Amino acid sequence: MQIHQLGKLFTGPHAMRLPGGNAREPDAFFVSNARLANAGEAFLDGPADLVIEVVSDDSVSRDRVEKFDEYEAAGIPEYWVIDPRPHRKRADILARNAEGAISKRRPWTVSIVPQRCLASG
């Protein structure tokens, strides 16, 4: 799917092969036109520009810790963690700052509220 001719959005089953040999299959990821040549039929060779993971009861640690660490090490510029589970309903938007680091302690949090979103940072 092309988005405003900026790149392509991928969903599973499509893997992303990270530097160091690990491969992950995010729920969705965006690849800019500049990196689109690295995208094959089954996988992206290298990091995406944006990765989106949707948390489930069995993926909390994997999405919030394991994948976060791998995506940060791979230099992925932006990582969204969407948690639609009852009594949680939040989205953490983790973006690199000017120095290129992502803060684990202070992600932007968007509370998912019917008909509106409240942002805090």
Side-chain angles (χ1 to χ4, degrees):
M1 166 189 302
Q2 284 276 29
I3 300 175
H4 302 288
Q5 306 303 311
L6 299 175
K8 188 172 181 180
L9 181 66
F10 293 88
T11 59
H14 206 95
M16 177 178 58
R17 200 171 1 201
L18 300 172
N22 287 343
R24 289 292 187 176
E25 190 175 302
D27 293 304
F29 61 92
F30 173 78
V31 180
S32 66
N33 286 330
R35 295 183 182 182
L36 209 47
N38 296 334
E41 289 295 318
F43 67 90
L44 170 66
D45 190 15
D49 295 282
L50 165 67
V51 174
I52 302 167
E53 295 286 1
V54 180
V55 175
S56 63
D57 288 333
D58 68 337
S59 74
V60 176
S61 178
R62 187 171 53 249
D63 290 338
R64 293 194 177 278
V65 179
E66 294 170 31
K67 289 182 179 181
F68 176 91
D69 290 341
E70 288 179 24
Y71 295 165
E72 183 177 26
I76 293 172
E78 195 161 338
Y79 178 35
W80 298 358
V81 183
I82 312 296
D83 192 343
R85 297 173 302 152
H87 306 295
R88 289 174 179 85
K89 296 184 181 172
R90 63 183 262 177
D92 294 322
I93 301 168
L94 308 159
R96 292 191 177 278
N97 62 23
E99 291 79 39
I102 296 177
S103 172
K104 280 177 127 173
R105 295 186 307 249
R106 297 200 56 171
W108 296 350
T109 300
V110 178
S111 299
I112 302 169
V113 179
Q115 298 183 0
R116 65 185 181 138
C117 288
L118 306 174
S120 67

